[in-house]
Amino acid sequence: MSEVKLFGAWFSPYVKRVEMSLNLKGVEYEYIEEDLKNKSPLFLQYNPITKLVPALVHNGKPIFESSVILEYIDETWEGPSIFPKDPFDRAMSRFWAKFVEDKCSDLLWKACWSAGEEREKAAKEAEEGLTILENEIKDKKFFGGENIGLVDLVANYIALWNPILQDVVGFHVLTQDKFPNISKWADEFCNDSFVEKYMPEKEKVRLWLKRAVETGSLY
Amino acid sequence: MEVRLHGMWASPYVIRVIWALKLKGVKYEYIEEDLSNKSMAVLEYNPIHKKVPVLVHNGKPIVESAVILQYIEETWPDRTPLLPEDPYERAMARFWIDFGQQKSLTFFAFFLTSEEDKHKTAAQVLETLKILEEEALGDKKFFGGNTINMVDLFFGWLTYSFGCMENISGVQVLLPETLPRLHRWTLDFKQEPVIKENLPDSTALLEHFKRVTKHLKSSNKFKPA
């Protein structure tokens, strides 16, 4: 039996960021792809509360929620860290990670999936968030500085999934014209030799999102 | 002063930071903010969200109560630990804090409920609190075990704000009959010295909640999903 198991779904940005974190630390783990339409009894036994991926099981003990898992991985294993050392810098990382999720990614997703007034509202709010983020990445290669950090991993949705979804639905909020710095970061991130090993194939994601838009269901 | 906290007396986000600072014995200067007329300091320190709490330590501002609490824990680690030592138990604590944050819309919906939806929104809150009681609290005295920890501080608002929500909506949810262990926890939690000494005045709080509810409902600013 593997000491570390990761229950995931290949298309999930939350799962991918956990995978990157595990691989950065060089942790050996067993990956189990979950069919989210038909969750396995084992998975549900480990994660009865949220029933979502990712779920990390370490020595039989399950941990869920990607943000919680990322902190756990950082504390449990030696090796390169996605968290800064200084408490103030760590606080800043946590702040920006939450900002990226709540004020950028979630709104970008919502803008793509909604219509009419709701779409306009989400797009406007997303632009406000992105404007602030654009300024934050301005003089840096990655949000984490020279190396990728927590915020880069959490922003993975913006780097890969969002551009594809925007194309599929034909509604573009995050454009290179409006957000050149974020766009540059996205390229840098996706083409990073470490990151690209743990990102899904863009064409596969495009087909998945296309079908999701047509059927109205993600899985 | 090395440590300053910009806050608002009725804000549960602020109060949990006050509890953490007091539990750690950290001396700080408190600045009460008028949220309709925010000080230049708040706007300068928190230009993104323009909200309280803002903790300023050696001139550096930290915002978002969850981030602040972790910061306090990491900066003063040798006094009254607010998170378990074991990484797995720590992960569980962080999960429950995240759970609480993710359920904020559920509580908000109950807080601003219309007359016709009050039982529906109350039922959703009850379901959430049942999970909390069963899975997070269990048979322990506190979420932190025998002593309070960050999870207790996070859900501490249930022991004072939530009663105002019940009062305004007209539905009682957190009762010994419906949530015996959680109800017991609210009493034990409020008995803890630091908590007891740092609770907002209940009469003033209810008045404040009534004002806020009226304002939010009329401005239609918050549409619960």
Side-chain angles (χ1 to χ4, degrees):
Chain A
M1 190 186 90
S2 242
E3 210 183 87
V4 184
K5 286 196 220 299
L6 175 65
F7 289 85
W10 70 269
F11 51 75
S12 163
Y14 303 97
V15 171
K16 289 301 179 195
R17 59 187 79 143
V18 169
E19 280 196 271
M20 279 187 222
S21 170
L22 285 167
N23 282 287
L24 258 174
K25 294 273 190 187
V27 178
E28 286 198 18
Y29 62 97
E30 181 193 348
Y31 177 80
I32 299 145
E33 178 74 21
E34 268 301 306
D35 175 358
L36 295 179
K37 282 193 310 292
N38 195 16
K39 290 163 191 166
S40 70
L42 182 68
F43 174 66
L44 292 173
Q45 180 198 326
Y46 279 131
N47 188 3
I49 297 172
T50 71
K51 306 186 187 65
L52 294 172
V53 289
L56 187 80
V57 183
H58 186 204
N59 294 329
K61 296 203 256 185
I63 302 141
F64 3 94
E65 285 304 314
S66 62
S67 58
V68 177
I69 296 172
L70 292 177
E71 299 252 4
Y72 178 81
I73 291 170
D74 197 67
E75 288 178 350
T76 304
W77 286 283
E78 296 291 318
S81 178
I82 58 172
F83 285 82
K85 285 219 166 7
D86 171 70
F88 181 75
D89 294 335
R90 291 163 72 83
M92 289 302 99
S93 282
R94 288 175 178 131
F95 170 81
W96 283 110
K98 188 158 196 293
F99 184 85
V100 162
E101 288 267 47
D102 294 350
K103 302 294 182 190
C104 301
S105 303
D106 284 356
L107 292 166
L108 283 167
W109 175 263
K110 192 172 176 189
C112 284
W113 284 93
S114 56
E117 212 179 285
E118 209 187 313
R119 170 174 268 192
E120 292 305 320
K121 182 167 179 277
K124 180 166 174 286
E125 288 174 6
E127 285 196 356
E128 284 167 10
L130 290 169
T131 303
I132 293 168
L133 199 67
E134 175 80 359
N135 190 55
E136 179 58 20
I137 193 62
K138 180 168 72 177
D139 301 313
K140 298 197 278 205
K141 181 179 183 189
F142 295 117
F143 289 100
E146 270 309 300
N147 300 310
I148 61 173
L150 174 72
V151 183
D152 299 279
L153 293 198
V154 171
N156 69 349
Y157 172 81
I158 294 176
L160 187 135
W161 285 261
N162 184 61
I164 298 173
L165 182 59
Q166 288 186 159
D167 280 346
V168 167
V169 302
F171 186 71
H172 296 84
V173 178
L174 206 182
T175 62
Q176 190 164 16
D177 279 342
K178 285 201 195 137
F179 302 102
N181 296 335
I182 296 176
S183 302
K184 179 165 166 282
W185 164 82
D187 275 340
E188 199 76 66
F189 183 74
C190 288
N191 293 320
D192 178 84
S193 56
F194 171 79
V195 169
E196 68 180 357
K197 286 198 285 222
Y198 305 105
M199 289 288 236
E201 273 173 50
K202 288 186 181 177
E203 195 46 38
K204 214 174 160 195
V205 172
R206 184 183 310 279
L207 289 170
W208 167 63
L209 283 172
K210 200 160 168 282
R211 203 178 69 238
V213 168
E214 284 160 11
T215 61
S217 172
L218 285 176
Y219 39 82
Chain B
M1 269 259 156
E2 211 181 87
V3 183
R4 280 207 317 277
L5 176 65
H6 294 260
M8 191 262 166
W9 68 273
S11 162
Y13 306 99
V14 171
I15 291 169
R16 62 176 68 127
V17 173
I18 290 174
W19 288 337
L21 289 168
K22 295 231 184 242
L23 281 165
K24 293 274 189 186
V26 174
K27 288 204 171 5
Y28 65 99
E29 182 194 350
Y30 178 76
I31 296 131
E32 177 72 20
E33 291 285 340
D34 171 3
L35 294 182
S36 58
N37 189 19
K38 286 163 194 166
S39 68
M40 289 312 293
V42 167
L43 296 174
E44 188 196 317
Y45 283 132
N46 191 1
I48 293 172
H49 297 306
K50 305 184 182 62
K51 286 183 186 162
V52 289
V54 181
L55 185 79
V56 186
H57 186 204
N58 294 329
K60 297 203 261 190
I62 304 122
V63 304
E64 294 290 312
S65 67
V67 175
I68 295 173
L69 286 186
Q70 294 244 68
Y71 177 81
I72 290 171
E73 176 65 2
E74 288 173 9
T75 305
W76 293 280
D78 45 339
R79 320 181 198 179
T80 314
L82 294 176
L83 282 175
E85 221 180 283
D86 172 67
Y88 181 74
E89 294 304 321
R90 257 213 298 287
M92 287 300 100
R94 288 187 176 121
F95 171 77
W96 288 112
I97 289 169
D98 184 77
F99 177 84
Q101 291 180 305
Q102 296 217 22
K103 294 296 178 188
S104 56
L105 280 180
T106 306
F107 289 107
F108 230 175
F110 177 58
F111 172 29
L112 293 177
T113 192
S114 60
E115 181 63 28
E116 58 262 20
D117 282 338
K118 69 184 186 187
H119 291 294
K120 183 177 122 202
T121 54
Q124 285 166 345
V125 168
L126 179 62
E127 197 187 306
T128 300
L129 292 179
K130 277 205 157 104
I131 295 172
L132 200 66
E133 181 187 64
E134 182 65 37
E135 305 289 340
L137 184 64
D139 295 318
K140 302 191 303 255
K141 183 179 185 190
F142 298 114
F143 290 96
N146 289 325
T147 53
I148 64 178
N149 78 356
M150 211 183 276
V151 183
D152 296 274
L153 299 191
F154 245 85
F155 289 105
W157 67 272
L158 288 169
T159 69
Y160 61 92
S161 284
F162 189 64
C164 296
M165 293 187 189
E166 290 174 311
N167 182 304
I168 290 168
S169 70
V171 184
Q172 291 217 282
V173 178
L174 219 182
L175 297 161
E177 304 87 73
T178 56
L179 293 154
R181 286 174 289 181
L182 195 64
H183 187 264
R184 174 82 246 156
W185 167 81
T186 66
L187 302 175
D188 287 336
F189 183 74
K190 282 196 284 197
Q191 282 309 304
E192 290 291 291
V194 162
I195 309 303
K196 198 170 176 180
E197 290 155 22
N198 293 283
L199 285 169
D201 175 76
S202 51
T203 313
L205 189 68
L206 185 58
E207 283 314 305
H208 167 79
F209 257 85
K210 284 181 175 164
R211 263 197 319 270
V212 169
T213 314
K214 196 162 162 229
H215 169 73
L216 288 176
K217 277 182 170 170
S218 66
S219 76
N220 225 15
K221 204 174 167 196
F222 289 98
K223 274 211 175 95

